[in-house]
Structures are given as C-alpha cells and as structure tokens.
Amino acid sequence: MHPIRKKRLTIVLFLVAGIAIAVGLTTYALRQNINLFYDPTEIAAGNAPVDVRIRAGGMVEEGSVARDADSLLVSFRVTDFSASVPVQYEGILPDLFAEGQGVVAMGRLNDQGVFVADQVLAKHDENYMPPEVAEALERSSKGQHKSADVEKAAETTAY
Amino acid sequence: MYPELGQLALILSLLLAVLLSVVPLAGALTGRDSLQAFARPLATGMFVFTALAFVILTHAFLVDDFSVAYVANNSNSMLPWYYKMSAVWGGHEGSLLMWILMLIGWTLAVAIFSRNLPSVMISQVLSVLGMVSVGFLLFIILTSNPFDRLLPNVPADGQDLNPLLQDIGLIMHPPMLYMGYVGFSVAFAFAIAALINGRLDAAWARWSRPWTTVAWSFLTLGIALGSWWAYYELGWGGWWFWDPVENASLLPWLSGTALMHSLAVTEKRGVFKSWTVLLAIVTFALSLLGTFLVRSGVLTSVHAFASDPERGSFLLALLAITILASLTLYAFRAPVVHVRSRYGSLSREIFLLLNNVLLVSATLLVAIGTLYPLVLDYLDLGKLSIGEPFFNTTFSPLAVATGLLLGAGIFSRWKKTDGGWLARKLLWPLAVSLIASALVMIGYGGFAPWAFLGVFAAMWVTVATFWDLWDKSSSRKGRLHGLKRQSRSYWGMVLGHLGLAMVMAGATVVSNYGIERDVRMQPGDRAMVGDYEIVFTDIGERRGPNFTAQYGSFDVYLDGKLVTDLHPEKRQYPVGMSVMTEADIDAGLFRDVFVAVGERVSDEAWAIRLQYKPLVRWLWLGSLVMAIGGFLAIADKRYRIRARDEAGWKNEVQVATGHPAEVSS
C-alpha cells in the first residue's frame, strides 16, 4: 500500500477504535448511572423500582423527623401533600434541612417501602426549591393544597 | 448620580465596540490603512469606559449605595470592606460586568502587545473581539443592568452577600476563571481572522499560542481555586463533584488543553491546521456554553443567581450566532487538506494527535454527562440526573491513557521516531515507575487496580519528564550549563507535565486512600480516623462581624502525641437567615486532617465529620505548577524575536487579500 494511504488508514483505524471505545464506555456507564426522579405519589403507588438507585423528593413532613439515640441514623417522611414516603438516612444532614422544607434524596427503595437514602440535598438558600420538588408539589396540589411555598416553588421553576 | 454615569459609560463602550467590530475590519478588507488605524484607539476607549463602569459599581458597594438594586441585593452595611469589594462580582450583574471588563482587557492587551503584528491581522483580530464585546455589552445593558435603581423606596440596608461567598476563595476564584474563559476569545479571534484572510500558517499559530497558553493557565488556576474553595467552604471536604457548573469550566479546559498541543504541532510542523482552527472555535464556544449553563438558570446551584428566561434565551442566541457564523466561515474557508510535510506513523505528530483524540473524547464525555439530563428535561422526556460514577468510570480510563501516552510521547521526535529505539528508551523509565508505584501501594497499605493505574500513570509522566530533562541537559560544559541552555518554553512544558502528574497522583491517592467518617460525638468523646485520634473537648460560642458561631474544639493525636487542635464552626448569619459550616483543617503536604461540625442531634451530642485526606493538596499545588508552566512558556524568547518573519508575512497577506496596490508597507 502507498505509505501515505497506509498512514491515513492507521489514523482512521485509531480514530474509529477510540470512538468505539468511548461510545461503548459511555453507553455502559450511562446505563449504570442514570438516576430517575420519583415523587412521593409515584413511590406510594408502587411505580418506583425497588433496589435501584433513584432520586426522590418533596417536603419533609412536619413532626416526622426522628433520630436514633446513639448513632447518626435519622428517619423522616417526605410528602407532596397527597402521599408520603418514609426515608432513612445515616450521616450528616445538610445545614438547611428542616421540617417543612424541600429536599431531594438519592438512594434505594427497599422491599418494606422505605427509601434508604445515601445522600440528602436541601436547598441552598431560602429562595431555592429543588425544581423536581417544585414540580412534584405542583402536580399533587392541583387546587386545594396550594400553599404559599408551592406558589413560590412554581415561580422558581418558571424558566 | 454616579450609577447613571456608570450606565452611560457602558452604553458608550457599546458604541465603541460596534465601531471596533466594523471599522478596522472594513479597513482590512478594503486595504485602507486609515480605517485600520482606528483599531487600537477604539479598543483603548472601550476599555476606559468599561473600567469606569466597573469602578463606579465598586464605589457604590463601598459607600453602601442601597438605591442601586444590585448593591442592595448583594451587600450589607455590616459587611467588611474587602467583602464589599468582592461582592461586586458576587451576583449575576456584577460578575457579568467583570466578565466584560476582562474581555475588553484582553482586547486591550492584544492591541498593546501585538505591535509587531501586521496591521491587517491586528485589525481583523480586534474587530472580531469587538463583535464578541458587542454581544456581551448588549446582554448586560438589555437584560442585566447592574446600575438599576430601587427608587423611590430605597432600602435601609442590603440583603447581604451570600455567606458562602464571604471568603478569600471567592475573591480569587471568579476573576481567575473569567480570565481563562474570556482569554480563549483571543485564540478564537485569531482563528477567525486567519479564516477571513485565508492564511493559516506557522506564523498565525505562533501568534495565537502565547494567548492560548495564558488563558489556559488562568483557567487552570480558576478551576483549582474553585475546587479548593468547595473543599473547605462548602464544608464537607469534597474537591470535585462533577456538578454541571464544574463541568462547564472543565469543558473549555479540556478542549483548550487539546488546542495548546495542536497549536504546537501547527507552529512547529505546519500540519493539523484546520483541526487547530476548529478547536479554537470549539473552545471558545464551550466557554460561552459554560456561561450559558451557569448564568441562565438552567442549572440550579450556588452559581445560578437568578433564573430569568430572558437572559437564558439571550445567551443561547449569542451562543448560536457565534457557533453558526464561525462554523459557516470555517466551512467555506478552512484550507483543503493537502499536507506537504510528511510524518511517520510513529512520530511526535502522531503522539500529539492521539493526545487530541483523548482530550476531545474526554470533552465529549463530560459534555454528554452534563447536557443529556438538561436536554431530556427540556424536551419533557423525564427528569433524571447522571451521577458521579458515570464520570468516574469513563473519565478515569481516559486520564490514565493520557498519562501513559504522554510519558512515551515525551521521548518521541518530530517526523519519525524509530520504534525499536523508543522501546529501548522507555524500558528504564518503565521499570523505575513500576517499582515506585509498587512502593507507593505498599506505603498506603493496600492494592487496588485503579489506584495502581493512577499512581503508575503519574509516576510514568514524572519519570519520563525528568529522564528527558536529564538527556537534554547533558553538555560538555557541565550539567548546570546544560540545564540553563533549555528554553523557557521547554521548562514550561516540564512544569506543565509535572503539575499534571501531581494532580493525577493527588486525585488517585485521595480518592482511594482517603477516609471519611460521620460520627455522633459529645464533648469528651474520642474517635479514630486513619491513624489519627480525634478528641472532642468542648463546644463554645463566639461572635463574628456579621454572624454568630458555635465552635467545637478538637484535639488531634497521632501515636499518642498531640498534633494540633482544630476549631470547626457552625455559623448563623442573621441577615440572610442562613447557616454555614466552616470546617477546620490541619493541612499538610502529605495529608489533611479535616473536622466539620454537622447538626446537633441531641442536647449534648453533635454529628461530626472526620476526614483523613492524603495528598489532597497535590491537586491544587499541581494545578499551580501547571499554571506556572504556562506562564513560563509564554516568556520564551522566540515570541519576542520575530519581526523579520512578520515583514515577509505582511507582504504575502496583501497579495492574499487582493489589494496589494492600496496598501503601503
């Protein structure tokens, strides 16, 4: 083969191989790591998969936060005002975690229907509401439960 | 009255930018020197007025002029003066103003430091930069005016600067990052100018190189500062979260790194021209994309100040125009590939080509992981997030591959490298790095495949770099003479690669051997983290200038000996009603001991985070070394001695633009 063609062929082969590896790895990694968001209504209705890493979010139900006496285990309920889901978490909660505030948790649903979180995110400041939470509240509060918080949330998401 | 003057200054600056984007370019296209001569004065004028606007905004902060909405939203009379200064870029409008000031500062720098450039080239470059300035000035004037007033209801006090941002890290992080982002606009302008006059050659590459390298160095510093800041200020000891806003800054860094290397090939060997131009366009487009992601409110994070749909669409339009216009130009003007210079299938050219393939793949990966959820969300196909594991599993192999390639590439020669010779050359460095990596594994007490690969890649790069330095510095007049004889750009490369090795080593070791524990503790309790014993002695309260804090006292022991005492805090800022966790860190070159106080879990007990972070400092030190390498590289002599070449280029350009008669040299 002509040396220039040979060289070009090498380059092309290298490129194709590189792209193939990259695409392969990407699709594989993507498939492993996509975390879908479910709101409490969906989880309560059994629409969320068990033992798959998902995101869940809503408001922390008033009076639901309970701490274990000698570990960092904490349990609380997350609600969208039409259904609520029990959440368990062991570790440090974010500074702005509080009852009546919006949170997003990452974790897995176990067979007892408890959401075992490995990460809990709360809002950065008083104006911020996780967009997923805002939308979930919006969906569940068609009409009666429209609290001030929900209205604020809807404003934040209107981009 | 001052704020109105500030706005007026911005408008004047916009007018000058419009002139700058039209007049010199017209002069260059028609070959009229008199029009081209406007380029430098216009750039200077634009800078003066933008700087004036910036000074006026700073003044408004310092004198607590809360009639200005932006000041009222981002400052407070109780804020110490240095935070009032940095609050200027603590919000959307001000940081945009700073961005523009830097863009125009770069434009001015091009005007000043390119005295040797042919005036056709400089006119085109400055015109392109003028166009970019028009876009951003329009953006700030139409959608994000920092001088908007709150009249007649002037608030008595401001709403305070977000306490997250009250920190030295914030004072430094955005300016550095912006210098980098915006700096790539110069490389972009050079690329566009070269496309307009159809001259893509070694001279063009040599002109763009130092600008690209400086921008890259600043971006490196900016990203490192951001990571450092996140590490201690966001409170929980992570140094990289693969958060979309972080990725937004990593994207131009990756493609900018590719650009630097491909520019080197274009300068030295005259090949990869079209590719280099494309990379320059892409890198700048990614900088704009970063701005769009961070500033439009598409992403919600510490960085997104306001979600205003108008701003988002404006930025998106700006991005679309830039990409479409430059790619159209590229499609019509990019040189057809008929490369005259040959290079073998094992040559430095090929190594650098592979470097580019890897870096561009990494860019694509990060882009996919960042944009995929946004696109799905926009199309209403569902809400999902892509977790850190995605980035870790895909990015790590590419990083290791880049390291392995780099170590071998250092020894390669331009045009043709003998395979057998290279293999023999690599044998010893290979053996040395294998042994060294094994020792590191033993030292940290545990083998993990990825840890080994990461440490090995870092060792390999380090050993190869020093080996090459040793080879190159051999001289009959002695080693010292040989070392002195190396050019600054060579030293720049050495530091750049060593810095990269440090970052790789730091990232690998801290991710694999770091220890993180969340424990429930009350005063008097002890807990172990690694070999360190932490004793919680006391908790107290204190008052800061604009906050109150509870602080814990912790004694840190190693082998029964007191190492240090740490005082992490939990701060309450009354004005913004916010809470901040201030970790306390015993920093060291080889390890950090990190203690942060979480929430109070009972009357006596607190949630405490304890961390042992080996080599975590190397991440930022390595970045600093890389950036110093960049600055050293541009101090190379050859960027200054070049008048002769340019004289030749000038004559040819006049022929190329087709107006030889009208141009007097």
Side-chain angles (χ1 to χ4, degrees):
Chain A
M1 214 190 296
H2 196 278
I4 292 187
R5 284 205 197 131
K6 197 175 161 193
K7 190 179 72 188
R8 280 197 194 140
L9 188 68
T10 337
I11 295 176
V12 169
L13 284 179
F14 259 119
L15 280 175
V16 169
I19 291 167
I21 293 172
V23 170
L25 274 173
T26 317
T27 4
Y28 173 75
L30 266 180
R31 217 175 278 167
Q32 304 293 310
N33 292 300
I34 282 179
N35 312 120
L36 288 163
F37 179 85
Y38 292 89
D39 59 38
T41 310
E42 285 170 316
I43 296 175
N47 292 335
V50 173
D51 207 28
V52 171
R53 198 153 189 267
I54 56 171
R55 278 146 64 86
M59 309 300 267
V60 180
E61 210 168 80
E62 296 282 352
S64 73
V65 179
R67 288 181 190 282
D68 189 63
D70 39 38
S71 73
L72 288 180
L73 198 67
V74 57
S75 60
F76 54 91
R77 297 183 74 85
V78 162
T79 176
D80 57 4
F81 302 117
S82 62
S84 77
V85 176
V87 179
Q88 248 179 35
Y89 174 70
E90 182 155 18
I92 295 182
L93 290 165
D95 290 334
L96 295 163
F97 178 91
E99 292 179 352
Q101 302 283 15
V103 288
V104 171
M106 294 273 273
R108 293 162 195 274
L109 206 58
N110 69 12
D111 8 337
Q112 281 96 49
V114 177
F115 189 82
V116 183
D118 50 53
Q119 201 181 9
V120 174
L121 308 168
K123 51 187 197 165
H124 285 295
D125 62 60
E126 69 269 33
N127 300 319
Y128 168 61
M129 160 92 56
E132 295 96 332
V133 174
E135 234 165 73
L137 294 178
E138 179 85 329
R139 272 200 299 277
S140 74
S141 68
K142 294 271 154 60
Q144 69 258 46
H145 293 299
K146 200 147 191 169
S147 68
D149 256 345
V150 177
E151 268 164 30
K152 188 154 82 184
E155 268 168 40
T156 337
T157 31
Y159 50 70
Chain B
M1 192 188 83
Y2 285 122
E4 279 67 35
L5 278 181
Q7 193 172 1
L8 196 65
L10 279 182
I11 295 171
L12 283 172
S13 184
L14 173 65
L15 292 178
L16 292 177
V18 171
L19 287 177
L20 179 63
S21 51
V22 176
V23 176
L25 186 63
L29 293 176
T30 58
R32 284 197 198 143
D33 267 0
S34 53
L35 293 183
Q36 292 172 28
F38 277 106
R40 287 197 173 94
L42 282 173
T44 315
M46 208 164 74
F47 181 79
V48 168
F49 284 115
T50 314
L52 185 66
F54 192 82
V55 169
I56 289 172
L57 187 62
T58 312
H59 176 257
F61 269 93
L62 288 178
V63 300
D64 293 327
D65 184 352
F66 297 122
S67 71
V68 177
Y70 179 68
V71 180
N73 287 332
N74 291 285
S75 185
N76 182 273
S77 53
M78 275 152 67
L79 208 60
W81 68 269
Y82 42 90
Y83 290 144
K84 282 182 185 164
M85 292 273 285
S86 73
V88 173
W89 55 88
H92 169 78
E93 289 87 349
S95 65
L96 187 65
L97 181 58
M98 177 170 193
W99 165 287
I100 292 171
L101 179 68
M102 288 184 166
L103 174 62
I104 294 173
W106 278 99
T107 311
L108 184 70
V110 173
I112 291 173
F113 294 113
S114 303
R115 293 274 172 219
N116 293 328
L117 245 67
S119 90
V120 175
M121 187 75 180
I122 192 71
S123 311
Q124 287 166 340
V125 169
L126 289 178
S127 278
V128 174
L129 286 168
M131 291 177 205
V132 179
S133 309
V134 169
F136 277 95
L137 282 166
L138 271 177
F139 180 48
I140 197 170
I141 292 171
L142 295 180
T143 73
S144 326
N145 182 8
F147 298 107
D148 268 350
R149 293 272 207 174
L150 286 173
L151 291 176
N153 301 316
V154 178
D157 208 337
Q159 293 173 11
D160 208 0
L161 178 66
N162 183 344
L164 269 177
L165 309 181
Q166 297 181 20
D167 180 84
I168 176 76
L170 173 85
I171 301 184
M172 302 297 297
H173 164 63
M176 289 294 153
L177 200 64
Y178 290 0
M179 281 295 273
Y181 267 161
V182 179
F184 285 126
S185 65
V186 179
F188 170 77
F190 270 99
I192 296 296
L195 283 176
I196 293 175
N197 59 41
R199 286 290 311 249
L200 291 162
D201 53 15
W204 160 74
R206 193 165 64 241
W207 292 325
S208 346
R209 254 186 107 177
W211 297 104
T212 312
T213 311
V214 176
W216 176 88
S217 301
F218 277 117
L219 188 58
T220 310
L221 285 179
I223 295 176
L225 277 168
S227 152
W228 179 54
W229 176 51
Y231 172 72
Y232 69 80
E233 183 70 23
L234 289 181
W236 306 112
W239 47 273
W240 192 263
F241 301 89
W242 295 110
D243 184 88
V245 286
E246 290 173 327
N247 295 348
S249 67
L250 190 63
L251 287 171
W253 188 86
L254 288 168
S255 71
T257 312
L259 174 63
M260 270 199 316
H261 289 87
S262 129
L263 269 171
V265 186
T266 308
E267 186 202 340
K268 297 279 185 191
R269 303 283 304 135
V271 289
F272 299 178
K273 291 172 191 167
S274 319
W275 173 245
T276 306
V277 171
L278 191 60
L279 269 183
I281 294 172
V282 166
T283 303
F284 181 60
L286 287 173
S287 298
L288 290 185
L289 178 73
T291 321
F292 165 71
L293 288 180
V294 175
R295 289 283 175 262
S296 62
V298 170
L299 306 170
T300 327
S301 80
V302 214
H303 297 74
F305 299 119
S307 19
D308 181 341
E310 197 186 331
R311 287 174 187 167
S313 17
F314 194 105
L315 276 174
L316 203 57
L318 211 61
L319 181 65
I321 292 171
T322 315
I323 294 177
L324 281 180
S326 43
L327 288 187
T328 312
L329 188 64
Y330 179 80
F332 284 105
R333 299 301 293 261
V336 190
V337 190
H338 43 91
V339 178
R340 257 171 265 142
S341 65
R342 301 249 174 93
Y343 49 93
S345 49
L346 191 66
S347 61
R348 182 163 276 204
E349 286 92 328
I350 293 294
F351 274 105
L352 287 169
L353 179 70
L354 289 177
N355 147 304
N356 267 238
V357 171
L358 289 174
L359 284 167
V360 170
S361 315
T363 315
L364 279 174
L365 268 178
V366 177
I368 290 170
T370 312
L371 298 177
Y372 184 64
L374 293 178
V375 172
L376 280 196
D377 186 21
Y378 181 76
L379 298 175
D380 233 354
L381 291 175
K383 284 206 178 287
L384 54 84
S385 72
I386 291 179
E388 288 182 32
F390 166 76
F391 296 99
N392 291 336
T393 44
T394 53
F395 198 79
S396 313
L398 284 173
V400 169
T402 308
L404 298 182
L405 185 76
L406 166 55
I410 286 174
F411 296 108
S412 66
R413 308 243 164 104
W414 295 113
K415 289 187 195 172
K416 189 162 173 47
T417 311
D418 183 59
W421 173 84
L422 186 64
R424 281 192 301 280
K425 191 87 212 165
L426 293 179
L427 209 57
W428 275 109
L430 182 67
V432 172
S433 4
L434 272 175
I435 294 169
S437 316
L439 288 177
V440 173
M441 294 291 104
I442 295 167
Y444 282 108
F447 175 86
W450 276 112
F452 181 78
L453 280 173
V455 170
F456 174 72
M459 283 291 176
W460 173 243
V461 171
T462 313
V463 172
T465 302
F466 279 119
W467 211 281
D468 185 56
L469 185 63
W470 185 259
D471 283 354
K472 286 220 167 64
S473 62
S474 77
S475 155
R476 249 173 276 144
K477 292 186 198 162
R479 187 63 59 183
L480 200 64
H481 179 261
L483 284 173
K484 274 188 194 151
R485 210 182 46 191
Q486 300 309 314
S487 67
R488 287 193 188 146
S489 64
Y490 179 73
W491 281 111
M493 183 188 87
V494 167
L495 288 186
H497 290 162
L498 289 179
L500 177 72
M502 286 176 76
V503 173
M504 282 174 128
T508 310
V509 169
V510 76
S511 325
N512 285 284
Y513 301 108
I515 301 170
E516 178 185 313
R517 292 191 64 198
D518 290 347
V519 284
R520 181 189 171 104
M521 289 177 98
Q522 53 191 59
D525 281 356
R526 298 162 173 265
M528 294 294 290
V529 56
D531 295 335
Y532 291 86
E533 186 179 27
I534 317 274
V535 182
F536 186 6
T537 53
D538 193 18
I539 192 132
E541 291 210 4
R542 75 177 187 96
R543 270 186 167 281
N546 51 352
F547 60 85
T548 57
Q550 282 137 339
Y551 66 90
S553 296
F554 294 83
D555 288 341
V556 180
Y557 292 92
L558 179 64
D559 301 330
K561 265 176 279 176
L562 182 68
V563 181
T564 182
D565 55 330
L566 296 175
H567 303 278
E569 295 187 351
K570 184 125 253 164
R571 291 184 183 168
Q572 284 88 24
Y573 290 80
V575 181
M577 291 291 284
S578 47
V579 184
M580 281 289 310
T581 302
E582 291 278 328
D584 200 9
I585 301 165
D586 180 41
L589 187 56
F590 293 101
R591 59 102 191 95
D592 274 15
V593 177
F594 178 112
V595 179
V597 180
E599 76 270 19
R600 187 173 208 156
V601 290
S602 75
D603 285 346
E604 293 92 40
W606 295 72
I608 308 288
R609 172 162 295 183
L610 306 172
Q611 294 191 88
Y612 162 71
K613 295 253 168 194
L615 294 199
V616 68
R617 302 272 138 189
W618 289 35
L619 288 163
W620 311 304
L621 285 176
S623 309
L624 185 65
V625 171
M626 276 198 262
I628 292 173
F631 289 119
L632 206 58
I634 61 148
D636 196 80
K637 286 193 197 101
R638 75 174 188 287
Y639 294 124
R640 275 169 278 145
I641 321 168
R642 58 189 179 190
R644 200 187 47 204
D645 282 15
E646 268 109 46
W649 193 89
K650 195 167 183 179
N651 293 332
E652 285 174 59
V653 164
Q654 286 151 12
V655 176
T657 44
H659 299 280
E662 294 170 50
V663 188
S664 60
S665 50

